[in-house]
Every structure is written in structure tokens, then in C-alpha cells.
Amino acid sequence: LWDPMAPELFEKIMKFVSKKYEVLSLNDICLQKPESKKPALAITFDDGFRDYIDYALPVLKKYNFHSSMFVVTDCVDQNMPTWTYVMDYLFYHTQKLALPEFDYGDECNSYAVYTWPGKIEQIAYCRKFKQALKKVNNAKRNAIMQSFIKGFDDVRIPADLMMTWDDLRSLQSEQVYIGSHSVSHPPLATIDDDAELEKELKLSGDIIKQQLGYFPAGISYPVGSYSKRVKSFSEKAGYKIGLAVDQKLYDSGKQDLFAVPRIELYNDSFLRNKIKIYGIEAAIRSM
């Protein structure tokens, strides 16, 4: 249900970027603040899907671009995609139009729907509920996801979409920096338990250090979910940069290093992606 960017569009955008910007590593832009003749730009990817190697990396190498990839360590270890992908995949591929009843709790009471008249209505429900689940208490979200997995037992989640540690090690010879995207991809601001939050942040960095030889400088907050508490725990865990989404340009004089905004690019028109990169869309939204 998540329309990926076409490789042809990605290359067109990278060609445009090569003419207008100086692409530097994220760590350099945030921590070193080097001078550049053109506006500085960093390119980042989240999750650790293998199609980065298949489609993005060849283009990045063509233009000699740095990039950063933020990986979910459970997804690498288990070769299973993120819960957001799993939810989409289950609803899209199941032949069932009904689920066993499950207590979604008070905060999700409006989504306590267990039958759908057709596939269109079922997928529309999934689109809305997935966005709502990003703000639901993490324990409750995990329980709801398990109810979907059990209820839609006619679907097998693909187990060959994610990069392996060997893949990630191979990227160390390229201009690619591997950072953390947590252990299990939870919206971090929805985690109430301090020990659980610390685990998602610290353990993911420790695993990367064990596998790749360094504790990453940056943590990318899953689904852009963060808070003052999450920022504090991230710094305590040993990170130097915390990546949000926030859909606006980064200004080192205005944003702190644990709320670095990013602009997401999608499979939109080339013109709209250019407008986003320039920061025009963000400026219009803030008016």
C-alpha cells in the first residue's frame, strides 16, 4: 500500500541534485558543518530494505554521492520487514474479510471493526488505522499487530526483502554510513517504560557496533515519533544526532541535533519533489 519511488524518478532527482547541491555525509553536515560552494544536502534512507542495493546505490555511485542508511536491527537479524510494511502486506494479500474480535482498547475503540463488505473497504480501513497506530501505546500496538498476524493466517510475510549484516558490511567499502533505526521500529514517543525505550535505543546501537565495528552517530526515530524524553534517552544512549521527519529544511541555528528534520520524497511528480527539496512546500505549509 506504500507506493515506492520509481528508479527512473530517483535517478532524475539525483541528476538535479548533482547540479544544484553539494552532497555531503549527514555526519559532516550536522557535526562538522563544513563550508561548501553550493548548498549542502544529505541523503538518507530508513529501514534497510535490500532494494537500496539493487536500485539506489548504483545511482548514488554514479554521482559519487554520500548517503546514510538507518537500519532496524530486528529486521536485519530476522530478515523480516517493519511492522508498518507487515500491516500493509497482510491487509493487501489476505482473502479474508473478517477477523476474530479483539479488544483494541479505549484509544482505538473507533477502529474496533472486524468485518468488511469488500476489499476496497478493508484496505481503506488499513490505511487509516495504520496512521492511528503510530500514536498508540507501543504495548497495545504490538498486541493489535499480533491479532492481525493470527487473524490473517492465510498470508505469508515475505522473508527476503531486507539487507543482511553481510550486505551492510559490504556497504562499508562504499560512501554509505549505517545508522540506527531502533531494534523493532516502534514509534518511540509511545513507549512508556524507561527500560524498553533504553533498549530500543542503546541495544540497536550496540548490535551495530558488534556487527560493523562502531556505535553509530545517528538514530533515526521510527515513523518520525519523538519527544523531549526520547531525545534525552537518545543522547544518553550515546548518539550524537537524532533524526526526525518534520518535512522542513535543517537549520543548525534553529534545530537541535536531536531533532534534525528531514524532507521525505515519494513517487510524486518530479516537479513536486523539486519543490520539496527547495523547501518551498514546507514554507507554504508553515504560513
Side-chain angles (χ1 to χ4, degrees), residues 24 28 86 119 125 146 156 213 215 222 224 229 264 270 285:
L24 303 173
D28 282 350
V86 169
K119 198 66 183 178
Y125 167 88
Q146 287 304 310
R156 179 181 175 274
F215 191 94
R229 174 169 163 266
E264 291 179 305
F270 175 58
R285 287 182 177 181

Side-chain angles (χ1 to χ4, degrees), residues 57-282:
L57 186 60
V59 177
L60 295 167
K61 291 174 69 173
K62 176 180 177 180
Y63 291 101
N64 196 31
F65 283 170
H66 290 269
S67 65
S68 298
M69 169 60 75
F70 294 86
V71 299
V72 183
T73 54
D74 269 2
C75 292
V76 181
D77 287 335
Q78 300 169 18
N79 201 11
M80 290 291 285
T82 61
W83 71 267
T84 45
Y85 184 98
V86 169
M87 183 171 176
D88 281 352
Y89 196 88
L90 288 169
F91 274 85
Y92 187 82
H93 288 279
T94 185
Q95 299 300 309
K96 298 182 178 182
L97 292 174
L99 280 171
E101 291 197 9
F102 179 81
D103 181 10
Y104 288 170
D106 293 338
E107 57 187 327
C108 295
N109 187 55
S110 62
Y111 291 95
V113 176
Y114 308 99
T115 61
W116 299 271
K119 198 66 183 178
I120 293 175
E121 292 82 1
Q122 188 180 43
I123 289 178
Y125 167 88
C126 172
R127 291 184 188 277
K128 291 182 179 180
F129 196 12
K130 188 180 75 170
Q131 294 305 313
L133 277 177
K134 294 177 181 179
K135 299 180 181 179
V136 171
N137 173 273
N138 189 54
K140 173 57 71 173
R141 179 188 59 79
N142 283 332
I144 291 172
M145 281 300 303
Q146 287 304 310
S147 76
F148 291 153
I149 292 170
K150 292 178 181 178
F152 295 140
D153 58 1
D154 60 328
V155 179
R156 179 181 175 274
I157 306 301
D160 58 354
L161 298 178
M162 313 307 295
M163 285 189 277
T164 65
W165 288 115
D166 283 342
D167 290 330
L168 293 168
R169 276 187 283 272
S170 74
L171 293 178
Q172 291 185 285
S173 62
E174 309 289 351
Q175 294 188 105
V176 183
Y177 188 87
I178 309 302
S180 170
H181 200 34
S182 79
V183 173
S184 65
H185 201 253
L188 296 173
T190 68
I191 299 176
D192 296 328
D193 182 74
D194 285 354
E196 184 181 0
L197 179 58
E198 182 178 6
K199 175 186 175 183
E200 287 288 341
L201 294 165
K202 183 68 165 61
L203 180 59
S204 61
D206 287 342
I207 292 172
I208 290 172
K209 182 177 181 179
Q210 179 184 0
Q211 293 287 345
L212 304 182
Y214 63 88
F215 191 94
I219 172 77
S220 169
Y221 308 129
V223 303
S225 172
Y226 72 101
S227 63
K228 183 177 180 180
R229 174 169 163 266
V230 169
K231 292 196 297 179
S232 176
F233 272 66
S234 298
E235 185 172 14
K236 182 181 177 182
Y239 298 103
K240 298 177 181 179
I241 303 168
L243 288 177
V245 180
D246 293 346
Q247 309 292 0
K248 58 186 177 183
L249 299 179
Y250 173 60
D251 184 337
S252 61
K254 294 182 179 180
Q255 292 111 9
D256 68 59
L257 284 173
F258 286 91
V260 175
R262 290 179 295 175
I263 293 173
E264 291 179 305
L265 302 185
Y266 302 112
N267 202 35
D268 296 316
S269 69
F270 175 58
L271 176 60
R272 184 176 181 188
N273 279 298
K274 282 175 59 177
I275 289 172
K276 283 185 174 184
I277 293 170
Y278 279 134
I280 297 172
E281 184 169 289

